[in-house]
Amino acid sequence: MSKMTRSLLAASALMLGLSAPAFAKTFVYCSEASPEGFDPAPYTAGTTFDASAHPVFNRLVEFKKGTTEIEPGLATSWDVSDDGLTYTFHLRPDVKWQSVQGYTPTRTMNADDVIFSFDRQGNAENPWHDYLPGITYEYYSAMEMADLISSIEKVDDLTVKITLTRPEAPFLANLAMPFMSIVSKEYADTLAKDGKQAQFNQVPVGTGPFQFVAYQQDAVIRYKKNPDYWGTAPKIDDLVFAITPEASVRLQRLQANECQLMPYPSPADLEAIKADSNLKLDSQPGLNVAYLAYNTTVAPFDKPEVRRALNMAINKQAIIDAVFQGAGEVAKNPIPPTMWSYNDSIQDDPYDPEKAKQMLADAGVKDLDMEIWAMPVQRPYMPNARRTAELMQADLEKVGVKASIVSYEWGEYLKRSTDPARKGAVIMGWTGDNGDPDNFMGVLLSCAATGDGGSNRAQWCNKDFSDLITKAKATTDQAERTKLYEQAQVIFKDQAPWDTLAHSTQYVPMRKNVEGFVMSPLGDFTFETVDLK
């Protein structure tokens, strides 16, 4: 790096309250929000995974960079029985756990850690199942992992056998997801002995490319290169997450070289970014969906005809024009059009306020007051939820519905929005985690995903829909799975638990001297391959 670049990086580090080693190569990422915690298992937010699962941890299998293709991770290989029920994983030898202040591991990663990582999520009797007040394992529950896994056995220190109750086509892809990160049983045992269980979610210990150093709440996360990493060593020495919720401030920091890469630029800033000779802009279609989830267990949202009427009252194209500004398209299905099994024959609910008003009257709905929940942070699928909610509010007023806008801090928003007693409708979205349709339809819309702490924020349980997606998971024939998912989308559209809003384009601005960053179709931000020219 030039002297000027080193000086700017040093100044940036000082602004962030960090020490800046004279010759260390430091990369600063202007992240959009604070993580909910550093234990990947209880959470579903990409922000949390970017700060925990990806830099600090590994999984048995991983997604190859820039794809949804599975490759070896902490397992070097695996065998699958002919009936698809038994998976035998052969673990990578001599994988070292990281050290943190107050803890130094005495052994390498082994089968005990793998079994612990699964068991604590699915076994209510495990002392680490409820180690935090109110903790839930949203993914593990929504994906029915507890029912799917019959047993996990330690064959020897480097071999684990997992037996399933039924064939599950996306099983390997599910194991590559962040919530299935392998954590240290020895670290957990040490914290339990010292009465410091909460530290498990505050000071993570993993096997990943970066080692956690410190977190200043809502400001800065600092990591350093893991000197004992089993894979290809990162090219940067220090990684800094500078938490910057406002997109305009993130861009200002990027332009000043206070950070070298940022997520989720404002659509209004894209042309200025393209025109800046010090920056470059990567883009790709997002594997995502933004939606408005009605609470289908609370009247009058328990009636499909009411939900469809509200959908017809909302002008989605106006939201695309005003909020996404060319960086998105109207959604009609719960999965994006880039995903296999997308049912393009589905007809979307038209924007028709007069018909919506009549349908509400026919359903006996008048003087309806409802809440629209708007997330406080920018997400890959939603540039500005508050503005979107305001447009919805104005549209609904035209059909006699009074809507009030509700918001909370991001972590609280995610937690409260799963409450089965929640009123009204919540703006949410999803970026695919593994490239499989089940990751949208099963995780977000199945009966198993309902309830407090579940990912089904519509609390919608339709037996015909759930039967179809359960059947789809049980076969590896993609043509058959496609037919079943297409049928499930027909039921979804008829029952309208959501108003499907948009699929967005993903943009990543960065400094011109950034090399090696690979955009993920899953929306992840990972930095082990990144370098500064």
Side-chain angles (χ1 to χ4, degrees):
M1 293 183 291
S2 68
K3 289 182 180 179
M4 179 176 291
T5 302
R6 283 201 300 269
S7 297
L8 285 167
L9 289 173
S12 173
L14 289 171
M15 286 177 63
L16 297 168
L18 305 169
S19 60
F23 301 107
K25 190 176 289 189
T26 301
F27 189 92
V28 183
Y29 167 59
C30 275
S31 65
E32 79 288 1
S34 301
E36 300 152 275
F38 290 92
D39 176 358
Y43 305 113
T44 63
T47 300
T48 299
F49 293 149
D50 289 341
S52 61
H54 298 310
V56 179
F57 293 95
N58 295 114
R59 277 71 43 203
L60 289 175
V61 294
E62 305 274 0
F63 293 114
K64 186 178 290 186
K65 273 284 184 184
T67 76
T68 57
E69 183 182 339
I70 298 297
E71 66 178 4
L74 293 179
T76 57
S77 63
W78 50 92
D79 308 308
V80 185
S81 62
D82 291 341
D83 61 7
L85 295 179
T86 303
Y87 289 72
T88 303
F89 293 93
H90 305 283
L91 304 183
R92 192 176 298 276
D94 302 320
V95 174
K96 295 182 178 179
W97 290 103
Q98 301 158 1
S99 299
V100 291
Q101 187 173 1
Y103 172 74
T104 302
T106 65
R107 62 167 176 80
T108 54
M109 185 272 303
N110 66 26
D112 293 332
D113 301 309
V114 176
I115 293 171
F116 173 69
S117 299
F118 281 77
D119 191 68
R120 73 187 184 103
Q121 297 188 61
N123 178 11
E125 301 302 315
N126 189 306
W128 280 89
H129 184 74
D130 295 316
Y131 81 98
L132 294 175
I135 189 173
T136 60
Y137 298 94
E138 192 172 328
Y139 264 131
Y140 205 89
S141 298
M143 301 174 80
E144 302 179 75
M145 296 289 278
D147 293 330
L148 173 66
I149 296 173
S150 173
S151 64
I152 309 176
E153 303 170 54
K154 176 180 178 179
V155 178
D156 56 45
D157 275 354
L158 293 178
T159 311
V160 175
K161 184 169 73 173
I162 301 177
T163 303
L164 308 183
T165 58
R166 60 181 183 271
E168 183 88 348
F171 182 63
L172 281 174
N174 293 346
L175 295 189
M177 290 168 56
F179 82 104
M180 284 313 310
S181 295
I182 303 304
V183 297
S184 169
K185 183 178 186 301
E186 184 186 43
Y187 182 47
D189 289 344
T190 301
L191 293 177
K193 182 180 177 182
D194 297 338
K196 297 179 179 179
Q197 286 91 333
Q199 186 174 313
F200 199 77
N201 195 37
Q202 298 164 354
V203 182
V205 168
T207 58
F210 294 98
Q211 185 170 325
F212 177 85
V213 175
Y215 174 40
Q216 182 182 343
Q217 181 75 35
D218 299 328
V220 177
I221 315 170
R222 186 175 178 185
Y223 312 84
K224 65 180 180 180
K225 178 165 63 176
N226 179 2
D228 299 317
Y229 183 47
W230 57 268
T232 303
K235 295 177 172 60
I236 55 175
D237 300 293
D238 294 294
L239 174 63
V240 176
F241 279 36
I243 298 166
T244 314
E246 292 294 328
S248 60
V249 180
R250 290 199 297 275
L251 180 56
Q252 290 168 12
R253 284 186 160 183
L254 185 69
Q255 291 170 327
N257 202 23
E258 293 177 9
C259 60
Q260 286 71 59
L261 187 144
M262 63 169 277
Y264 319 135
S266 169
D269 291 332
L270 292 175
E271 291 306 314
I273 292 169
K274 293 175 184 177
D276 192 323
S277 61
N278 294 312
L279 305 180
K280 58 184 177 180
L281 184 68
D282 286 358
S283 66
Q284 67 180 16
L287 193 73
N288 61 41
V289 63
Y291 59 88
L292 180 74
Y294 303 104
N295 188 340
T296 61
T297 64
V298 175
F301 310 105
D302 55 342
K303 297 180 179 179
E305 60 270 28
V306 172
R307 302 192 295 263
R308 286 198 298 272
L310 296 174
N311 288 355
M312 293 171 69
I314 294 171
N315 187 343
K316 295 195 290 190
Q317 187 59 52
I319 292 172
I320 294 294
D321 294 341
V323 177
F324 290 81
Q325 298 183 35
E329 60 180 302
V330 168
K332 64 180 180 180
N333 289 327
I335 62 174
T338 53
M339 176 168 278
W340 62 269
S341 82
Y342 180 83
N343 191 341
D344 199 31
S345 68
I346 295 288
Q347 296 296 310
D348 200 10
D349 298 310
Y351 171 56
D352 192 337
E354 289 305 314
K355 186 173 181 181
K357 190 184 298 185
Q358 184 61 52
M359 288 174 67
L360 289 172
D362 292 345
V365 176
K366 60 180 181 179
D367 301 324
L368 174 61
D369 285 352
M370 65 177 287
E371 293 180 350
I372 297 176
W373 288 35
M375 62 192 70
V377 296
Q378 196 170 355
R379 303 305 303 139
Y381 45 76
M382 177 51 65
N384 189 330
R386 180 78 191 192
R387 179 62 181 139
T388 298
E390 290 170 350
L391 292 170
M392 290 178 174
Q393 185 182 48
D395 286 341
L396 291 170
E397 187 177 10
K398 296 173 185 175
V399 299
V401 175
K402 182 179 179 181
S404 56
I405 300 173
V406 175
S407 192
Y408 299 93
E409 177 273 329
W410 182 223
E412 192 69 13
Y413 185 94
L414 290 168
K415 182 179 179 181
R416 285 177 179 250
S417 62
T418 69
D419 184 351
R422 187 200 76 237
K423 297 179 181 179
V426 58
I427 296 175
M428 278 298 295
W430 194 256
T431 298
D433 292 295
N434 61 17
D436 195 282
D438 180 70
N439 184 245
F440 284 77
M441 291 193 273
V443 172
L444 303 178
L445 290 161
S446 69
C447 292
T450 59
D452 196 7
S455 297
N456 187 339
R457 286 171 166 81
Q459 303 296 334
W460 179 63
C461 178
N462 181 283
K463 185 178 184 302
D464 292 337
F465 178 92
S466 285
D467 286 349
L468 283 169
I469 60 175
T470 298
K471 188 176 179 181
K473 289 192 297 181
T475 176
T476 56
D477 184 336
Q478 187 163 313
E480 178 62 22
R481 295 186 74 201
T482 294
K483 290 178 183 177
L484 294 167
Y485 286 130
E486 287 176 344
Q487 294 172 40
Q489 289 167 75
V490 173
I491 295 173
F492 167 86
K493 203 63 186 179
D494 176 69
Q495 293 296 300
W498 298 352
D499 187 6
T500 48
L501 300 176
H503 306 295
S504 73
T505 303
Q506 185 182 2
Y507 291 95
V508 180
M510 64 194 82
R511 300 290 300 181
K512 271 280 176 65
N513 65 327
V514 173
E515 295 182 330
F517 178 78
V518 180
M519 288 190 72
S520 167
L522 308 174
D524 305 325
F525 285 83
T526 61
F527 303 101
E528 62 269 24
T529 60
V530 168
D531 200 0
L532 292 170
K533 188 160 49 176

